[in-house]
Amino acid sequence: MHLLKFDWNPLTGIEIIGNFKLHFYSVMWIVAFILGWYIMKRIFTKEKVSLEYLDPLFIYTVLATMIGARLGHVLFYQSELISQDFFSIFLPFRFHPRFEFTGFQGLASHGAAIGIIIGMYLYRKKYNYKSLLWILDRVVISVASGAVFIRIGNFINSEIIGKVTESGFGVRFIQDYYYKSEIVKLTGIKNVQKAYDAVTENPQFQSLLEAVPYRHPAQLYESFCYIFVFLILWFFYSKTKKREQTGFLFGLFLVLLWTIRFFVEFVKEPQGDEYINWFGFNTGQWLSIPFIIIGLYFMFVYKPKTPVK
């Protein structure tokens, strides 16, 4: 069973200039968006939709995802930023307590989902070649594929970690347990990465390593499940006639993804202040329930009032 437990203490990015760092988490976002673009290009080609609409769709999706995810995190989990560090909400920098380049950080999937829906509505108003639900039915396939890489990025960053576990499968997130300033002080090593490395590589700091508890790798649970969300959506789109049922794929995506999110929350640590905690369900779970209900509606109840263009 020991083979199913391991320590996680990786490089999280590459130093470029000064405090600027290319985070692997950011790279995962780039991979997600590029893969999504190629999937949508294949769909557009398959359905003989002009590719002139593809790049604007990509731009709207990227902006809607990032803005929605960031605002969602602030509103749902870290509202104190509005008064304490307002500009960090919109810029990839932290200004309080000190200036620091942070890259993409503090993003909520619930906010991203709302942002994408709003973004596709605005996109559809400008590029009126198909219905809004036709676009959503297909965009969610790309979104599902991207979600796989976003959660891998979270794992690399040692964020959105799981609860402590005594089971035979767990991960010790060294960089989550010890703050940068703390690990430098405890090891006496000024270089932060070398200080972290010493915890896992130098027997002298065995006590520091043993203090770190094993946790559920909740990010990997989600990432693995999202692979199947993508495969199921692609199957229904490419192998069945369900793609002709307006809203079905969009609804199926909502039901699958947010059901997974609902259950993974049971083994996940809170991402911030729990503003909602009713009947044993946390904020993430309560935010997921409306998406699931909406998904069921589009799968089994919704009927378009006008013919789909």
Side-chain angles (χ1 to χ4, degrees):
M1 299 298 286
H2 180 71
L3 294 176
L4 297 178
K5 292 184 175 182
F6 61 93
D7 301 322
W8 188 242
N9 185 32
L11 283 171
T12 58
I14 302 173
E15 297 286 349
I16 300 177
I17 301 175
N19 289 329
F20 288 86
K21 185 177 183 180
L22 176 61
H23 290 267
F24 297 138
Y25 177 48
S26 300
V27 173
M28 290 296 101
W29 275 92
I30 293 170
V31 171
F33 284 131
I34 291 176
L35 178 60
W37 184 88
Y38 276 103
I39 291 172
M40 289 306 298
K41 181 181 179 181
R42 181 170 178 177
I43 290 173
F44 274 38
T45 302
K46 177 184 178 69
E47 302 200 36
K48 296 181 173 56
V49 175
S50 174
L51 293 181
E52 69 178 284
Y53 298 117
L54 181 59
D55 286 344
L57 177 63
F58 177 78
I59 294 171
Y60 271 78
T61 303
V62 171
L63 292 177
T65 302
M66 301 307 298
I67 294 172
R70 183 58 180 155
L71 292 178
H73 175 82
V74 172
L75 293 175
F76 299 144
Y77 299 106
Q78 205 175 2
S79 60
E80 67 271 12
L81 286 179
I82 298 174
S83 59
Q84 295 178 3
D85 198 2
F86 181 77
F87 291 105
S88 70
I89 296 174
F90 305 99
L91 299 174
F93 301 96
R94 178 187 294 121
F95 298 89
H96 178 80
R98 65 183 185 281
F99 178 79
E100 181 182 358
F101 175 75
T102 57
F104 297 133
Q105 195 174 69
L107 305 172
S109 53
H110 295 93
I114 295 171
I116 289 172
I117 293 172
I118 295 173
M120 294 305 96
Y121 169 78
L122 296 175
Y123 169 79
R124 167 60 169 67
K125 286 192 70 175
K126 186 172 182 178
Y127 301 95
N128 187 11
Y129 61 95
K130 290 286 186 180
S131 72
L132 173 60
L133 280 173
W134 184 95
I135 297 169
L136 287 172
D137 278 338
R138 286 145 183 84
V139 163
V140 293
I141 301 174
S142 293
V143 173
S145 70
V148 175
F149 294 94
I150 302 308
R151 284 298 180 249
I152 292 175
N154 293 139
F155 182 73
I156 292 173
N157 261 15
S158 299
E159 60 188 8
I160 312 184
I161 60 173
K163 294 179 180 179
V164 174
T165 177
E166 300 296 332
S167 68
F169 182 60
V171 178
R172 288 195 286 204
F173 294 97
I174 312 301
Q175 296 179 27
D176 172 79
Y177 191 79
Y178 295 110
Y179 293 113
K180 293 179 181 179
S181 58
E182 181 183 14
I183 200 63
V184 167
K185 181 179 179 180
L186 289 172
T187 61
I189 301 173
K190 294 183 178 181
N191 183 286
V192 175
Q193 188 58 51
K194 289 182 179 179
Y196 278 126
D197 291 341
V199 174
T200 54
E201 297 174 3
N202 190 335
Q204 177 184 348
F205 303 110
Q206 183 67 26
S207 61
L208 295 180
L209 177 62
E210 291 177 351
V212 182
Y214 284 101
R215 295 180 176 275
H216 287 284
Q219 318 95 321
L220 296 185
Y221 296 164
E222 282 193 70
S223 181
F224 180 74
C225 291
Y226 292 159
I227 293 174
F228 291 96
V229 174
F230 167 73
L231 293 176
I232 291 169
L233 287 170
W234 186 255
F235 171 80
F236 275 100
Y237 170 76
S238 62
K239 301 297 183 182
T240 75
K241 293 185 178 182
K242 282 296 183 180
R243 71 170 178 267
E244 300 172 6
Q245 181 181 331
T246 303
F248 178 84
L249 293 175
F250 174 58
L252 179 61
F253 166 81
L254 293 179
V255 171
L256 291 176
L257 187 134
W258 297 111
T259 298
I260 290 169
R261 176 65 185 272
F262 181 89
F263 285 104
V264 171
E265 285 291 327
F266 283 114
V267 297
K268 185 189 296 183
E269 289 285 5
Q271 295 181 50
D273 292 333
E274 288 291 348
Y275 299 113
I276 306 174
N277 196 353
W278 305 326
F279 306 106
F281 296 152
N282 63 25
T283 302
Q285 290 171 313
W286 280 109
L287 291 173
S288 298
I289 291 173
F291 286 105
I292 296 171
I293 294 172
I294 292 170
L296 292 170
Y297 169 78
F298 278 106
M299 287 180 69
F300 302 111
V301 179
Y302 176 78
K303 301 294 182 184
K305 296 179 180 179
T306 57
V308 179
K309 292 184 178 181

